[in-house]
Amino acid sequence: MYDQPRPNRATPAMTFDQMLERVRYEGAYPTRERAAEAVYNVLSALGRQLTGDGRVDLAQCLPVEAALTLTTQIPANEHLTGWGFVKDLAARTGATPATVRWDTGAVLAVVTRLAGPDLLARILRRLPGGYALLFGQAELRQPEPAAA
């Protein structure tokens, strides 16, 4: 029998160096090292929150180095809200919540472009409230059905 063709892994839209430069620009960081630190911290924290196909699909959109940072994290037992994500990352890094929010916005702006709207929508549906704002998106929630 013939082997069925398998889809090739999508080539990321940018290299890790390009990603760092983009994050450096988005965050107005003075050095490439500072941008790399933000990428590592934010993607590590995001890797603790994402599970399942969304995590795998997002990793495939990222440059290899960024994908490894995301996927080598063990998912947390507790899913944090967007604000909880910021506070947890601030506690882990010793930075202020304002700095972490800035870093998160810079990194996730680039991740948003790499992921595309469909994957981003899938990821946001699986995460608790508050993450859309971190990804630079409007926080749109369906209204809860009224109790009869």
Side-chain angles (χ1 to χ4, degrees):
M1 298 292 318
Y2 296 99
D3 286 333
Q4 294 294 322
R6 294 182 183 161
N8 292 331
R9 181 175 180 255
T11 303
M14 64 177 65
T15 66
F16 188 63
D17 287 337
Q18 291 169 328
M19 181 181 189
L20 290 180
E21 283 304 315
R22 194 73 213 152
V23 169
R24 183 177 177 192
Y25 175 80
E26 290 287 337
Y29 297 119
T31 65
R32 185 183 186 91
E33 290 75 24
R34 179 63 185 93
E37 178 185 356
V39 167
Y40 175 77
N41 289 337
V42 172
L43 290 181
S44 293
L46 186 61
R48 290 189 289 275
Q49 295 301 307
L50 286 178
T51 59
D53 290 342
R55 177 181 166 123
V56 172
D57 293 344
L58 180 58
Q60 288 181 338
C61 296
L62 299 175
V64 173
E65 298 87 339
L68 289 173
T69 299
L70 179 80
T71 58
T72 56
Q73 301 303 309
I74 297 171
N77 292 330
E78 177 188 358
H79 290 290
L80 302 171
T81 64
W83 177 237
F85 176 89
V86 170
K87 290 192 307 186
D88 179 65
L89 187 51
R92 288 175 184 268
T93 61
T96 66
T99 299
V100 169
R101 178 61 185 93
W102 183 271
D103 291 349
T104 301
V107 174
L108 295 184
V110 176
V111 170
T112 296
R113 283 190 214 106
L114 291 171
D118 294 337
L119 176 56
L120 182 60
R122 270 190 15 230
I123 289 170
L124 290 175
R125 279 193 299 272
R126 306 253 353 229
L127 291 169
Y131 280 89
L133 296 173
L134 297 177
F135 280 93
Q137 307 293 306
E139 182 78 38
L140 302 175
R141 293 282 183 183
Q142 294 294 329
E144 296 293 324

